[in-house]
RNA sequence: CGGGGCAUAGCGCAGCCCGGCUAGCGCACCUGCUUUGGGAGCAGGGGGUCGCAGGUUCGAAUCCUGCUGCCCCGACCA
């Protein structure tokens, strides 16, 4: 049915690219590694932003904006942070162009060299902490709870639309607290916010946990994360939240006077999700017929397609369609009446299916006579005929059902592809098949590295809700107190 | 930065080995008529410095040399 689309079976990564480009979410740009997010894709991102922003504000955060450029010297102040990002920074060295003396276009004016080079932010900890020094004097200034929506640049070798691009959009929260406990609680709280968003809005089930030292954010004391399973069995980190300890406060000399009149360094967190979530959304729900969107994030939740033979029918059916649209919009639904006279119904059916619209209503002459409408749901591709007077209640209910069904399907898939493994032989076999592996680990970086080198699998997280269970490390045989989750990842 | 491949209409490709008339096909696009309950049919039409620069030749998309760009595979990563 869906022509021009690879199937997941044939070529999973081609299938992903096909959906992103053909559903009009994004395309590659003239700039290597950078994408153009197209209106339909951006509309989904805006819906994500709107809900996340509300969740951040509900938890007491305020938005602000910090510069795109960071003085190079700021980067060197936190040792492990520099080390983590140095290899992928874009650097601004000059501030002026001029006409080439030989008449060959525009060249960099070497006379306009910056005294101090500027880094295009790969993340904003350094510029933000340099700023916070001026904002924080006393415990009365704490906690400081700030978020920013921004673009960042990480010069990646290999890029893929949404999943890894040289420039991407994200939000980064940066908070300052008087105590260690409060900062840890903040990092944990924001991870719960992310998990809630992923599960309730994106219909993506996620595991919550802590990263191993190898996978920790550069400059963090502890990194928390949510991990989702894609349909090819690989893991995708969907959000991270970091407890930064006093690392940045010390590097940037951010101190406050406590109630006891003692000068102390503040405690910090940072947390972020990016346009990568768009990739997660595509890879979690979509099928071989195209994109599948959860109703809560779909820019169009219901599309109405009129079917007609002549001008007279066209007008009568579009009138009815408009009536239904208004009726549904009163319930707060996002509805589109596709009254284009330039495409045939069959074309429209396929197009909206490909674009993942959760519910399609078709109205033709027969329906007009019978007072009915054909309802098709994107997730199961099932169709039924309803009486027009029933659609008010039924459509809202159907959208809820679709939202739940998508979550349940994704959860069932993850459950079916999660395995407890207790021997190294079994581990090597299972990892080839994909999915999450729950195995014991001796807690050493050496073992983790060895497993990665041998199998390309990494520890995705040490689950929060993992039950204590004594066992032996799947690789070294040394004692272990709990299982951790291994997988190959994006 | 190492290994491989590609560059011909908006997109996808054929032609190149073995040089030769006006460079072709599918999709898309434009016009008209018939159509419209799962990607319409027919007819007509528009669109190309064959990546760039040299060379060989009577003649180059095709052969030779150099350059540039892009893609794929590896090391890095949300």
């Amino acid at each position: 049915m869906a022509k021009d689309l690879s199937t997941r079976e044939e070529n999973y990564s081609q299938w992903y690219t096909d959906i992103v480009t053909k559903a009009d979410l994004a395309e590659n740009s003239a700039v290597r590694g950078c994408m153009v997010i197209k209106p339909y894709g951006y509309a989904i991102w805006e819906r994500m932003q709107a809900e996340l922003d509300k969740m951040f504000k509900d938890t007491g955060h305020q938005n602000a904006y910090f510069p795109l450029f960071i003085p190079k010297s700021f980067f060197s102040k936190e040792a492990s942070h520099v080390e983590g990002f140095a290899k992928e920074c874009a650097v601004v060295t000059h501030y002026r162009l001029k006409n080439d003396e030989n008449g060959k276009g525009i060249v960099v004016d070497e006379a306009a060299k910056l005294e101090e080079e500027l880094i295009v932010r790969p993340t904003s900890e350094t510029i933000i902490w340099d700023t916070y020094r001026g904002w924080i004097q006393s415990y009365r200034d704490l906690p400081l709870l700030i978020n920013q929506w921004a673009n960042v640049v990480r010069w990646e070798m290999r890029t893929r639309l949404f999943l890894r691009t040289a420039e991407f959009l994200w939000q980064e929260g940066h908070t300052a607290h008087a105590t260690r406990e409060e900062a840890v609680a903040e990092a944990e709280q924001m991870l719960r916010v992310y998990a809630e968003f992923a599960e309730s809005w994106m219909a993506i089930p996620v595991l919550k946990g802590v990263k191993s030292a190898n996978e920790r954010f550069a400059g963090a004391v502890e990194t928390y994360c949510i991990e989702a399973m894609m349909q090819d069995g690989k893991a995708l980190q969907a959000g991270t939240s970091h407890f930064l300890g006093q690392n940045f406060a010390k590097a940037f000399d951010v101190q406050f006077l406590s109630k006891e009149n003692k000068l102390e360094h503040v405690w910090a967190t940072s947390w972020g999700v990016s346009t990568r979530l768009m990739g997660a959304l595509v890879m979690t729900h979509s099928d071989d017929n195209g994109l599948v969107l959860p109703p809560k994030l779909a820019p169009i939740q219901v599309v109405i397609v009129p079917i007609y033979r002549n001008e007279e029918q066209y007008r009568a059916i579009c009138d009815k369609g408009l009536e239904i649209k208004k009726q549904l919009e009163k319930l707060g639904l996002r509805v589109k009446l596709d009254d284009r006279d330039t495409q045939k119904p069959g074309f429209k059916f396929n197009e909206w299916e490909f674009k993942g619209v959760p519910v399609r209503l078709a109205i033709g002459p027969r329906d007009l006579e019978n007072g009915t409408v054909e309802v098709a749901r994107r997730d199961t591709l099932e169709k039924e005929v309803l009486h027009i007077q029933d659609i008010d209640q039924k459509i809202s209910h159907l959208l809820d059902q679709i939202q739940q069904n998508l979550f349940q399907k994704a959860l069932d898939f993850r459950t079916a592809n999660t395995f407890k493994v207790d021997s190294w032989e079994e581990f090597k076999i299972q990892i080839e098949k994909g999915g999450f592996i729950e195995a014991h680990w001796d807690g050493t970086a050496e073992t983790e590295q060895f497993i990665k080198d041998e199998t390309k699998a990494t520890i995705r997280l040490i689950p929060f809700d993992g039950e204590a269970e004594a066992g032996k490390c799947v690789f070294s045989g040394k004692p272990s107190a709990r299982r951790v989750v291994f997988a190959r990842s994006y």
Side-chain angles (χ1 to χ4, degrees), chain A residues 7 178 239 244 266 283 307 317-318 337 349 376 446 467:
Chain A
T7 63
L244 301 172
V266 303
M283 284 200 290
I307 295 156
I317 290 167
C318 281
L337 171 64
F349 286 2
E446 293 73 35
E467 49 208 88

Side-chain angles (χ1 to χ4, degrees), chain A residues 121 132 301 416:
Chain A
R121 64 182 164 215
Y132 280 2
Q301 294 172 306

